[in-house]
Every structure is written in structure tokens, then in C-alpha cells.
Amino acid sequence: MRRVEVVPYDPQWVARFEEEADRLNRLFEGEMVAIHHIGSTSVPGLDAKLIIDIMPVVRMIEQVDELTGHMEALGYRSFGEHGIPRRRFFAKGDDVRTVHVHVFEAGNEGVTRHLAFREYLKAFPDVRETYAALKRALAEQHPTDIESYIQGKQEWVSETERVATIWYMAEQTK
């Protein structure tokens, strides 16, 4: 059973990202365009679950399928698209997850969405704190029900992603 625990921001999350990103860079060598730390652990000051979210951006998403066995050798489980077309999702750990890898092809709107959300939370402390409070409340309400925790955040996250993407795109043109 996966427990839902939200903890205060830890600067060590950056080092954990960098260690895992190095492994993934070697694995995806030649296919990798960029690799990003995303999700709550990438936002200084934001409370988060103890899961590092990593977003490799690759030239061709189909090439990732050929590396699934190598990802499994690194301790990952493949979930395929896992509900998002043209993404490949991998998780390390079963009941206690430590890393999620969301692989997208360059140019996929998922890349922009994740980066926009991250940068928006960094730029607007009041929004970041609202999100942290929501996450803490949901973790308290659903300590052993990850699906309810995720569903409880979904509307807020979707609306914030929409606003963040508009803001992010405007910032990119400045």
C-alpha cells in the first residue's frame, strides 16, 4: 500500500535529481535533447511527496521503447503511456516510490505544461503556498489512498497549469 506523505522542501532533492539524471543521460545518450527536474521537489519552498520527478526530452519517443529493459535494469517499472498519449512513464519503487520518469518527445505540449507549472510556482509564492496547503490537507485526509489524493488535486492543478502555460508562453516572448 502506497502511503501519502507530504513533507517540507528539502534542498537535497536537487542532488537526488542530479544523480538520477546522470544515469538517465548515459542511458538515453544520443536520443536525449534535455532533462528537467519537474514536480514539487523541483520548486524551492514547496512541500512535496518524497518522489523526484524527472522529465527527459528525447528526439523520438518510439526509441524509448527499445530502452525499457535497460530502465528495468536500473530498477524502474514501465507503465507505457500511463494515460498520457506520446509519453513514456517509469517509476522506481513499488509501495515506496522514489523516482518518476516522464519521457516526452521534443515539441510535445507536455514538456511546456510541466515547465510552465514549475516556473509559475517558483515565480508566485502565494500560489505555491496555496498548493502546499492543499497537498498537506489531502495527505492528511487520504494517508493511504494515493488515488484520492491525486483526484483531490486534479481540478486545482489543471486550472493552474492552464494559467501557468499562458503566463509561461508570454514570458518566453519577452
Side-chain angles (χ1 to χ4, degrees):
M1 165 178 36
R2 288 178 54 200
R3 294 203 48 82
V4 181
E5 182 182 9
V6 174
V7 300
Y9 179 79
D10 183 345
Q12 289 298 320
W13 293 338
V14 174
R16 286 184 50 213
F17 159 74
E18 290 170 353
E19 288 173 18
E20 201 64 24
D22 284 345
R23 288 183 193 96
L24 295 172
N25 266 320
R26 286 191 298 277
L27 178 61
F28 289 100
E29 185 178 3
E31 198 55 39
M32 186 85 73
V33 173
I35 191 163
H36 302 279
H37 188 184
I38 60 169
S40 296
T41 61
S42 71
V43 180
L46 180 58
D47 295 358
K49 294 189 316 300
L50 296 170
I51 301 170
I52 304 298
D53 285 284
I54 301 175
M55 182 176 63
V57 180
V58 298
R59 295 183 205 310
M60 294 181 58
I61 197 67
E62 292 79 14
Q63 295 298 110
V64 175
D65 298 332
E66 296 177 19
L67 298 172
T68 297
H70 296 287
M71 288 292 286
E72 290 170 350
L74 290 176
Y76 286 96
R77 180 174 167 207
S78 173
F79 289 84
E81 291 184 332
H82 201 54
I84 299 178
R86 311 271 316 145
R87 170 184 79 162
R88 299 300 183 269
F89 179 73
F90 300 89
K92 190 177 265 191
D94 290 319
D95 286 345
V96 179
R97 296 255 177 103
T98 58
V99 182
H100 286 163
V101 176
H102 313 256
V103 187
F104 288 98
E105 188 172 276
N108 186 295
E109 67 183 26
V111 174
T112 301
R113 179 175 51 83
H114 281 291
L115 295 177
F117 189 70
R118 179 191 72 192
E119 295 306 310
Y120 191 74
L121 292 175
K122 286 180 178 180
F124 296 97
D126 57 326
V127 177
R128 181 175 60 238
E129 184 47 44
T130 298
Y131 188 37
L134 174 62
K135 290 166 43 139
R136 287 189 301 265
L138 288 167
E140 203 171 293
Q141 289 171 10
H142 308 289
T144 60
D145 185 355
I146 190 69
E147 292 306 318
S148 292
Y149 171 83
I150 292 168
Q151 288 174 357
K153 300 187 318 177
Q154 191 56 52
E155 186 176 324
W156 189 92
V157 168
S158 292
E159 178 57 19
T160 303
E161 282 178 345
R162 185 187 69 74
V163 171
T165 300
I166 294 167
W167 170 83
Y168 184 75
M169 297 308 287
E171 289 293 305
Q172 299 300 303
T173 60
K174 287 184 178 178

